Amino acid sequence: MSDARFFNDEPFLDDEGSDLLGREQYARHAVELLGRVRAQTETGVLALIGSWGSGKSTVLGKVIRLLQRQDGSEDWLIAELNPWLYSDLESLTAALFSEIRAALPKEERWSEVRQRIGGFGQAISPLGKLTALAGLDSEGLIQAFSDRITGDTSASAAKRKAEDALRQAGQPVLVVMDDLDRLTPDELLLVFKLVRLVGHLPNVYYLISFDEQTLLDVLQRSDLVGNSEGRAREFLEKIIQVRLDLPAFRERDAAAMSIRALNALLDSHSLSMTPSEERRFSEAYFRHLQDRLQTPRAVKRYFGQADATLSSLTGNVDLVDFLIVTFLRTSEPGVYRLLRRHRAELTGTSIDPAQRHSTQQPGERAERWRHRLREACVAEDHIKGVLNLLALLFPTVQQDLGNGSDTKAAAQRRGIGSADYFDRYMVFGVPDDDLPEATFDQALAQLTADAPGEEAAELLLRLRDDTHRITRRIEQRRSTGIRLPAAALLKAMADSYGQLTAEPEMMGLVNSGMSMQFLARDLLTDLPPEQRARVLAAMAATPDGAVLATRTLHRVTNPDNNDSEEVQTAEDWSLQARDAVTEQIAQHLVPTTGRPAEELTESDTDLIWMWRHTYPDSLRPWLRQRLHNGWEPLPLLGKLLHPTSRPHRLIDGSVLAGLDAMFGLDDLYTRLDPLLQTQTSNNSPNEHHANILQALREHRPATGQTPPPDSGTAA
């Protein structure tokens, strides 16, 4: 099958390669059988029987071609009649004789035969149908009416003349009629009446085709047969002399045809499957798809649908997931719609606690999916297979079935089970709010070559606006061993860090800054140690970048992420990085000199906290100098500590340790002692300052001695 054959429902008459399903051989058998029937009877009806989509039209087409290529004195003449076009016996009869006349050779010696055939048709047709039969104009129609009144125009006489002419001509005519099972009961009975009675002529043979069970169902709806399959079969046996049952479409035939169609699909899109993809598709096909692809038409239709939508998705989705989703969309449209309705649950991003932390057992969760499939109109005997297909696509469904699953695998292969890629399968392309893989890779290549272009600019813009997805996609490439431009990415992330607009994820627990910090940590560890200090210093060139650089250094050097500790390792690179980042922070804080503490910006206070992480031994004298030069300790604490809805949690053990690292608690309590001794009311003009003082009182021992920084959180 070539890819050009995907988009039509025509018979396979010009298949390339071997005769995969043996249709050519069977057509030759049918031609041979026609010759044997002709040798034994003047007329006959043969039926090519097969299910819808099994290839009946292909065999009929091949039979016609073989007959047309014969070279002999008794070559078959072919008349093709489409019963669908005619709604009554008279029209159908006129059409039959018109098609027979049209099939006759145009030589002079055939003129009498054509005339006698036309005469028989005129004799049994109402005058209103004669124009269709003989092509008469109004004047000819009047003449025909006159001839019928005055001449020997009885139907029996006309039929005898036609029979004599056909016998004398001695050349067989084959009338081919396809898809009789698609007629209404009345139309079907008209055809059989025509074939068995009116058209029962010497040297005229009929080759009809239909799906037997469908035809029997149609006959049972007629008044002639009634609701009895036995009577329908008996009626059919009276019409048909010879059955030509189409050979069964075996599993090996379906597999061979599917492989050919798959290869044509891959070739037409310049794709190939990896061994892993081959294994996954083989599992899906032989366990589930094969049972549903039981006719050549079904195979062709399935891969045709895949070909119709793959071009816009090539390289942007997982090929096997795409093929499975295409099958569901083609064969189970209700399930395809169900995917959209349950997107969050299927991708593991639902904020519904009942779905994220279900107390149901796996069997109960599986039954919930079976119920949904029934509501999606999946036949009962298909539910198990469809559910298993969903499990191949979605780790969440796999878990609901009680099986383990790799939740990261879907994202790594760009599967529909990942929220980052789900929408691509629904819109048959990359949405406007997403970044195509080719653009993504080109952007990384530009950053690697230090030659940023439009793609790199687009990536960095998305890094601010779609931080979670972009950082995950970078991590996915990193996890597969792809070499990334770590230094360039870290610098770009630092430049974007203060401009992040993406909403938090995971029920608000992970903000965009955290997603960027985790990626920055991993990228820094990918760099050789001797490059890390230089890259961190470059990141810290801006105040926001200095915050990210500090947090990245802290995460790398503190595997347990103890927020109260500074850089703990004594490796040369980390010490160099500590000093370089600290120097940058100090430079960014120079403009605060001469301004009161009340005018510190959020960026300023962030930098002070970051300095505490890098090198608190140098921060403490810097702060003391500022306090000596006019900063007031309580307004400074008011800027460093953000208000909270729970004042008793304003200063916990971690914050207390941080204050000790920045000020020294002894010194801080001494400076604040007059305010701490004075009990301020809750109606203080600055409630935040009052809450800070109260929190410090609760942490200050009654003896006036400073508690150790790790004394824990106040009750």
Side-chain angles (χ1 to χ4, degrees), residues 420 432-435 456-473 492-493 495-505 511-513 515-516:
D420 294 335
D432 292 340
D433 61 349
D434 197 357
L435 200 61
E458 180 70 14
L459 174 63
L460 299 182
L461 177 63
R462 299 296 179 93
L463 189 60
R464 295 196 296 268
D465 301 339
D466 195 12
T467 310
H468 303 289
R469 176 159 51 181
I470 295 299
T471 54
R472 281 194 297 265
R473 289 173 65 179
M493 291 162 63
D495 293 340
S496 302
Y497 190 68
Q499 307 170 51
L500 306 181
T501 60
E503 295 293 329
E505 288 191 344
N511 61 37
S512 54
S515 291
M516 191 170 279

